[in-house]
Amino acid sequence: MTQYIYLASPVKLPQGSYGQNPVYPGNPIIFRTELDFIHLAFENNYDPRLKQKFSYSQYFSYDYQVAAYANHIPFKYRLKGTPGEEKCLRILYDYMEKAIQTSGTLEYFTSLNGWENKPLEKRRSVRWTDLKDPYDLVLEDREFWEITV
C-alpha cells in the first residue's frame, strides 16, 4: 500500500515538486543519479472537476491541505537512513519550517492510502522549536501532530 504525508494549515500551503536536480530539464527530463530524481511533490486538496476543496482526513481542522507520496519517508519501524530518506526528510523539514513561520501552526499526519479516516494510533502536540533534525519528522502509521511555533 502507498504511504502519504499530509499537512494542513490555516493559510494556503504551496504545491509543487521540490528536490529534483535534472541534468537536462527538457523532454525527456534526464537525471545524473537516482538521488537527483528523488523529490517530494505536494498537491493541494482542490478538486478541479468538482470545483471545490475536500479534506484528506476527518482529523484536520484547517481547510488548506497538501499531500505528498512518501515512498522515501518510511514509518519509524522501517527507517533505514538511506540517502533518499535523508533527502526527502530535509525537503519536508524545510517545507514545514517555511509553512510554520507563515502560519504559526500546522497539522502533520501520515497514513497508508485509504486509511486516512481510520482511528488515530497517536496524537501529539509538538513545538516546532523541539524539532531539531529532519529525522524528528518520522512518524508511525496514523500518527497525527499539531505543531505550533
Side-chain angles (χ1 to χ4, degrees):
M1 294 186 86
T2 306
Q3 177 190 350
Y4 284 86
I5 53 171
Y6 303 96
L7 296 167
S9 170
V11 298
K12 190 173 184 180
L13 293 164
Q15 63 176 346
S17 183
Y18 297 82
Q20 286 187 332
N21 186 24
V23 173
Y24 177 70
N27 191 6
I29 301 172
I30 299 172
F31 299 91
R32 182 166 291 140
T33 67
E34 184 178 336
L35 192 59
D36 288 338
F37 170 73
I38 292 172
H39 64 285
L40 287 178
F42 295 93
E43 58 182 60
N44 68 22
N45 61 327
Y46 181 77
D47 185 332
R49 190 176 45 92
L50 299 175
K51 297 183 179 163
Q52 65 185 23
K53 286 183 188 174
F54 61 90
S55 185
Y56 285 115
S57 173
Q58 67 182 351
Y59 299 108
F60 283 129
S61 311
Y62 303 116
D63 288 336
Y64 297 104
Q65 301 170 21
V66 292
Y69 173 56
N71 62 330
H72 288 283
I73 301 177
F75 296 128
K76 255 185 195 167
Y77 65 90
R78 290 189 177 161
L79 190 64
K80 294 178 181 150
T82 66
E85 287 174 359
E86 187 173 334
K87 180 180 180 180
C88 284
L89 285 166
R90 171 56 60 193
I91 293 166
L92 178 61
Y93 187 89
D94 292 346
Y95 180 98
M96 289 175 70
E97 185 170 45
K98 289 176 187 158
I100 196 90
Q101 297 306 323
T102 302
S103 68
T105 186
L106 280 177
E107 293 173 327
Y108 173 45
F109 177 57
T110 189
S111 168
L112 293 174
N113 189 32
W115 292 32
E116 298 87 357
N117 293 315
K118 289 191 179 272
L120 295 175
E121 291 293 325
K122 247 186 220 178
R123 186 177 196 123
R124 292 181 52 199
S125 293
V126 179
R127 295 187 53 82
W128 181 255
T129 54
D130 294 335
L131 302 173
K132 307 286 187 208
D133 184 90
Y135 280 91
D136 294 338
L137 298 176
V138 178
L139 304 178
E140 300 291 345
D141 185 22
R142 292 189 323 266
E143 187 170 349
F144 186 97
W145 288 6
E146 297 166 272
I147 305 171
T148 56
V149 176

